[in-house]
Structures are given as structure tokens and as C-alpha cells.
Amino acid sequence: MNQLSDRINNLATSATLAMAAKARELRAEGKDIIGLSLGEPDFDTPDFIKDAAIEAINQNYNSYTPVDGYVDLKNAIITKFKRDNNLSYSLPQIVVSTGAKQALYNIASVMLNKGDEVILPCPYWVSYSDIIKLNDGVPVEVKTSIENDFKMTAAQLEAAITPKTKMIWYSSPCNPSGSVYSKEELRALADVLQKHPNIYVVSDEIYEHINFKGGHFSMAEFDDMYNRTVTINGVSKAFAMTGWRIGYIGAPDWIARACNKIQGQVTSGANCIAQRAVITALEAPASCVKYMVDEFKVRRKLILDLLGEIEGFKSNEPEGAFYVFPNISAYFGKTIKGKEINNASDFSLFLLEEALVATVTGEAFGNPDCIRISYAASQDEIKEAIKRIKTALS
Ligand code: PMP
Ligand code: GLU
């Protein structure tokens, strides 16, 4: 008998991690799977960061850290926010967590009461809706379209607001669409929020540096939004440090204090060696990791050109992150190699089984007409994967 809580029984498994696990399983069975499912840079963590971690071990950093992070790390984060985002935070406004994922979980946990609504422009990052539901909130999806570069307009935001709206969560650059909100677009959203002073914003900027157009703008840069915006960031993407598990927030101090309180009961704080290494990472100039961004830009062009040669793939041009999110609904209702394709999940499964290429269904991101393809893979892998997809579909 299932003795588990309703909470866990009702929780969806992370589709990105599930697909990565499935690809790993098939590889272990000897299948030559190309993994384009996980949003994880395929680079090594830069040596200067690894050296800082080794030094920290040798210096005997082995005790519990302050729950919200080492003070010198928080100071490095404050300097980073000022340098890169023109945002002024003080020590009590910063909390270091076990990945941006935990930072998001903390926010949901400290901000949401039962039935509070959180507006999510669709497509949204896979874990937002389940983190919100896990904390008794209600995700409210706002559909966007490829024609509008998958961005929510001010009118759409206005229409989605109800007396129960508590927050808006979005990522820019966006996982999965790669879209980047301009300053003007964010201002238009902020103008709507001026009429609703009790709505808070989570601005997830974890892909900030993976921006091919430049011009990253943070919602909290607007003076009238600063006191109701939580800025989320982390080192997983920009520094190829996914497994080190460090993320952080800049927030109004009462929100940061609450996140500190919950971490004190749940994790006692993030890993000490990783925190020491992140000080070195954040103090380095952005030019230290530019080679990764340059390579992602080359791959973006490669994958868009190759996908453009396959009928039935319709993509926007992502301006950041390392994903393409093509609409593949032209295949719905077709039977290929004896397999019926009626939705994005069928399509993604078809690609896994027939092309041996792992992708993620758009359903997990709130858009059932698309699939997400990560191009955090080598150019050779990308070429081979798209060739296989083309052959399987022809
Ligand atoms: N936000 C977005 C938009 C992401 O794509 C991810 C994926 N890693 C996260 C947050 C969580 O990142 P972390 O590895 O820091 O937990
Ligand atoms: N954020 C990455 C992704 O979207 C990593 C997986 C995860 O954390 O869910 O694929």
C-alpha cells in the first residue's frame, strides 16, 4: 500500500532530470544515445575555480558555514550585483543556497499561503509549477506565442491578475525559449504592477551571462520594483558548476531573513568548499568565461541552421541560454515508423526511441506544441543528432 504523503504522490517528477536518467539508463544498456535533454554546460569548471576549492580543503574549511553563507561570499555577491546589474544590496539581503533551485523553493515556501496564485509566463522553467504547488500555491499559466518571441505582454499580465495573485515568476534569458526581456518590455510589465502593490516578482537571472545580444536588465533595477523583487542567480550555468550546487538571492531583507530561517531548519547552509570556490568565481571578470558563451553562440547558429532544413520545425531565434524550443505540432496526427504522434511527449519519445536523441517534451514547460533541445553539447554531437532526427522523420 502506498503510505506516502499526498504531497509527494501529487508531485510530478522533474521532466528534465527524468529524461537525463532515462538517457543514462539506455546508454548503460549499450544504446548510443545523444543527450540533448539536460540544461548543463558540457565544459569543465575552469581551473582557477577548482584551484580555489582545493585550497579551501587544504585550509581546513570543514565546519558548518553561516546558514545564509560566508560573509566574504555574500560580499562578493554584493559586488557582483553592483558590477553586473547596477543593484545595491546589503548583507542581510543576500542568502546563499544549495543551487538556485533551493533559492526558488525557499521563496515559494516563505511567500505562499494556500491558494495564492503565481503567474507564470509560458513556457516556464520545468520546476517552477511544481515548486509552487508543493508549497500550496496555484500556478497560473499565461500562454505566449512564438510570434511574440514567447514573451508575456503587459496586457496579458493585466488580464491574468486576480485578487489572489501573490507573485510572478519568470526567467530571462528564459529556459526553455532563450528569450530575453528588454528594459522596455520589463518596464511595461512593471507599469501594470504599479496598480497592484502587493504582487511580488521573482526574476530568475541564472542565464544572465549566456546572452548573445547583450543588454541584460534586472527588474529590481527599477526603483519602484526594487522592494518587491527577488533576484535569483547562481553559478551553475555561467561557470559550468552545476554539481557544486550554489545559488543565491538578492531580496528585500524581510524575505531574505525568512529564507535564512527556513534553511536553518532544512539544510544548515550550502556546502563550505563550494562556497569558498564561488568567491573566486564571482570575483573573476566575465571575460574568464566568455569562451563558453562564444561557443554556445556558434552552436546556436549551427542547430538553428540544421533544424531549418527539417520540415515541421518552427523556432524563434533564442537570444540567450542554450536551448531551442521548436514548435513541432505539424507532426501531430501522423504515424511514423508505426508510432502515432499526438503530442510533444509522443514526439520526444519517438526521437529517443527512433533517433536515439534525448530531448524534453514542451508539456513539462507548459507548452504542449514544442520540444526543448539543449545545445550544451559538442558541435559534432549536435550535427549527428540532427542528422539522426532528420533520418528518423523522413
Ligand atoms: N532556474 C532556471 C531557469 C534553470 O534553468 C535552472 C537549472 N539549473 C535553475 C534555476 C536551477 O539551477 P541550480 O543548478 O542553481 O539549482
Ligand atoms: N535546469 C536544467 C534544465 O532545465 C537542469 C535540470 C534541472 O535542474 O532540472 O535542464
Side-chain angles (χ1 to χ4, degrees):
M1 194 173 75
N2 183 344
Q3 305 267 9
L4 297 171
S5 67
D6 294 343
R7 192 182 306 113
I8 194 72
N9 282 329
N10 293 332
L11 181 71
T13 301
S14 161
T16 46
L17 300 183
M19 190 48 126
K22 175 120 190 126
R24 239 178 258 135
E25 221 174 84
L26 291 172
R27 258 186 227 119
E29 286 171 16
K31 295 217 167 93
D32 171 28
I33 303 290
I34 301 181
L36 303 184
S37 59
L38 199 58
E40 165 156 79
D42 56 322
F43 297 98
D44 292 329
T45 302
D47 284 344
F48 72 97
I49 302 174
K50 292 194 282 195
D51 290 345
I54 292 164
E55 200 179 312
I57 293 172
N58 289 329
Q59 286 178 348
N60 294 311
Y61 277 96
N62 47 21
S63 311
Y64 287 125
T65 77
V67 170
D68 53 350
Y70 285 121
V71 171
D72 46 354
L73 172 55
K74 290 180 36 163
N75 274 321
I77 291 168
I78 288 170
T79 305
K80 175 258 170 296
F81 272 133
K82 189 77 208 156
R83 180 192 66 202
D84 299 345
N85 311 107
N86 197 27
L87 291 174
S88 299
Y89 290 114
S90 57
L91 283 169
Q93 294 180 278
I94 306 290
V95 179
V96 178
S97 299
T98 303
K101 201 177 236 174
Q102 193 203 1
L104 288 159
Y105 187 91
N106 286 347
I107 298 296
S109 168
V110 308
M111 292 295 287
L112 299 178
N113 283 315
K114 199 168 178 52
D116 282 347
E117 293 178 358
V118 181
I119 293 177
L120 301 180
C122 259
Y124 48 78
W125 180 47
V126 63
S127 290
Y128 288 174
S129 60
D130 285 288
I131 288 176
I132 290 162
K133 284 191 246 170
L134 203 45
N135 286 285
D136 292 335
V138 179
V140 175
E141 298 184 352
V142 173
K143 306 276 175 215
T144 66
S145 66
I146 208 164
E147 288 71 30
N148 200 33
D149 196 22
F150 291 118
K151 289 185 222 172
M152 176 172 70
T153 64
Q156 286 181 306
L157 171 60
E158 183 123 49
I161 291 173
T162 76
K164 291 194 158 179
T165 307
K166 181 75 181 271
M167 307 190 86
I168 299 165
W169 287 23
Y170 68 89
S171 59
S172 177
C174 173
N175 177 0
S177 70
S179 302
V180 177
Y181 282 89
S182 68
K183 180 178 180 181
E184 294 68 34
E185 287 161 342
L186 290 176
R187 184 63 252 171
L189 300 178
D191 285 344
V192 173
L193 295 177
Q194 287 322 300
K195 290 176 254 167
H196 305 276
N198 296 325
I199 298 179
Y200 290 82
V201 174
V202 163
S203 172
D204 181 345
E205 305 181 12
I206 196 160
Y207 294 96
E208 168 191 7
H209 291 300
I210 306 170
N211 178 335
F212 311 121
K213 202 176 88 169
H216 177 83
F217 194 84
S218 300
M219 184 64 103
E221 281 186 75
F222 294 128
D223 287 344
D224 58 341
M225 292 304 298
Y226 178 81
N227 282 325
R228 48 187 178 126
T229 300
V230 178
T231 308
I232 307 256
N233 213 319
V235 293
S236 285
K237 315 294 169 170
F239 297 97
M241 295 179 74
T242 48
W244 297 66
R245 311 305 305 126
I246 299 288
Y248 54 88
I249 59 165
D253 57 0
W254 56 277
I255 296 180
R257 263 199 311 277
C259 292
N260 188 4
K261 185 174 170 188
I262 194 161
Q263 281 192 184
Q265 294 288 21
V266 177
T267 61
S268 307
N271 173 281
C272 61
I273 304 303
Q275 287 194 49
R276 299 312 302 168
V278 170
I279 298 174
T280 301
L282 292 181
E283 283 175 349
S287 55
C288 287
V289 286
K290 192 169 170 294
Y291 64 95
M292 296 192 236
V293 182
D294 291 343
E295 175 62 20
F296 285 134
K297 190 171 179 182
V298 172
R299 295 176 189 176
R300 176 186 65 158
K301 179 167 175 358
L302 175 68
I303 196 162
L304 285 175
D305 287 350
L306 293 173
L307 284 177
E309 291 169 12
I310 311 180
E311 217 176 298
F313 279 67
K314 193 173 148 203
S315 300
N316 65 323
E317 183 169 317
E319 289 176 355
F322 35 63
Y323 310 102
V324 281
F325 197 61
N327 183 312
I328 42 75
S329 59
Y331 287 95
F332 297 173
K334 296 196 171 152
T335 301
I336 311 174
K337 293 189 191 288
K339 291 189 169 127
E340 229 180 277
I341 295 171
N342 288 318
N343 51 49
S345 299
D346 290 347
F347 191 80
S348 179
L349 191 64
F350 173 85
L351 295 185
L352 183 66
E353 289 173 348
E354 297 298 331
L356 304 182
V357 175
T359 59
V360 187
T361 171
E363 268 162 58
F365 304 88
N367 185 326
D369 290 332
C370 298
I371 58 165
R372 189 189 77 173
I373 308 178
S374 162
Y375 54 87
S378 72
Q379 295 188 34
D380 284 346
E381 282 176 304
I382 292 170
K383 282 183 204 155
E384 174 63 20
I386 306 302
K387 191 169 107 194
R388 288 189 196 176
I389 292 175
K390 202 171 171 180
T391 308
L393 290 170
S394 63

